[in-house]
Amino acid sequence: MHIMEGYLPAFWCIIWYVIMIPVVGYGIYQIKKITEEYPETKALVAVSGAFMFILSSLKMPSVTGSCSHPCGNGLGVALFGPAVTGVLATIVLLFQALLLAHGGLTTLGANCVSMGIVGPFVGWIVFKGGNKIGLNTKVNIFLTAFFADIITYLVTSIQLACAFPLPSFAAALPKFFIIFMPTQLPLAIAEGLLTVIVWNGLITYKSDILEKLNVINPKNA
């Protein structure tokens, strides 16, 4: 979903930055608060960012001015929530734009809103809802990663349709979204399964931290 450098009109670049900045600012505050209260979570924050960086670097070009790839945002949002995930996504997207020519600086706001804010926010709702109804935590983390990924691409499709509403926004949106889906659906499923594997490792070796963060209930694990 990385929209490439120079692809969006300046107006839309500014709009997405305006939405991104306060969320990322709050996320920085959240990271400071969490790591001060639970210093042992610093490694998990780093692992969440690394997981996102690696998965979202595995890109396949698309014909939309963007690309298909896993997002890796489900793990971080389950552990720390959407605001912290927004900070991690900003760092990941910045390094990818500067080092890999993946995405761009002018489109950083748009890419962060999709992969770091809205996609994770929906994933977070799914995760919290699953916990509330007592869903098995492995099933829950799969659904969290799957929906965070798919919604990321829905938001990117909305962003592209807003910038290029040809012949109209309503007509452009399904065209952009349908182009992504043949590659993104299997990628989202694969990402969900991989996130479950990582999650199982965390439950096995770091369950005490997960319980402190209130992200697992031992009865549902």
Side-chain angles (χ1 to χ4, degrees):
M1 45 48 70
H2 290 48
I3 301 174
M4 64 185 180
E5 182 66 67
Y7 194 76
L8 293 180
F11 171 78
W12 286 108
C13 292
I14 294 170
I15 290 294
W16 300 121
Y17 262 108
V18 168
I19 295 172
M20 178 196 85
I21 289 171
V23 177
V24 171
Y26 178 67
I28 293 171
Y29 164 77
Q30 285 288 91
I31 290 175
K32 184 175 183 294
K33 180 181 177 182
I34 292 169
T35 54
E36 285 181 352
E37 186 173 358
Y38 306 113
E40 63 272 29
T41 61
K42 291 179 181 179
L44 278 184
V45 173
V47 166
S48 300
F51 187 72
M52 190 185 302
F53 181 86
I54 293 170
L55 289 193
S56 61
S57 296
L58 304 175
K59 61 180 179 177
M60 294 188 296
S62 75
V63 296
T64 61
S66 183
C67 57
S68 286
H69 56 76
C71 297
N73 48 10
L75 180 64
V77 79
L79 291 170
F80 302 109
V84 171
T85 307
V87 176
L88 299 178
T90 300
I91 296 169
V92 165
L93 290 164
L94 183 60
F95 273 92
Q96 288 173 340
L98 294 174
L99 301 178
L100 303 178
H102 189 188
L105 297 180
T106 61
T107 56
L108 178 64
N111 290 331
C112 183
V113 167
S114 60
M115 191 176 86
I117 297 175
V118 182
F121 182 73
V122 172
W124 181 73
I125 291 174
V126 171
F127 186 75
K128 289 297 184 182
N131 276 348
K132 188 172 183 179
I133 65 174
L135 194 63
N136 178 279
T137 188
K138 300 174 184 64
V139 175
N140 200 14
I141 194 64
F142 172 85
L143 294 175
T144 298
F146 177 84
F147 280 105
D149 182 297
I150 293 298
I151 296 301
T152 292
Y153 279 82
L154 175 59
V155 175
T156 298
S157 300
I158 292 171
Q159 291 170 331
L160 293 170
C162 286
F164 307 103
L166 301 173
S168 66
F169 173 84
L173 175 58
K175 291 179 181 178
F176 282 120
F177 193 57
I178 289 169
I179 287 172
F180 283 127
M181 282 306 98
T183 52
Q184 206 54 41
L185 277 173
L187 283 175
I189 293 171
E191 177 178 345
L193 294 173
L194 179 59
T195 307
V196 169
I197 293 172
V198 176
W199 192 255
N200 286 344
L202 292 176
I203 290 175
T204 301
Y205 298 105
K206 298 293 182 181
S207 60
D208 57 330
I209 299 178
L210 299 188
E211 289 177 25
K212 286 181 182 178
L213 292 172
N214 199 31
V215 298
I216 64 167
N217 183 336
K219 294 180 180 180
N220 301 334

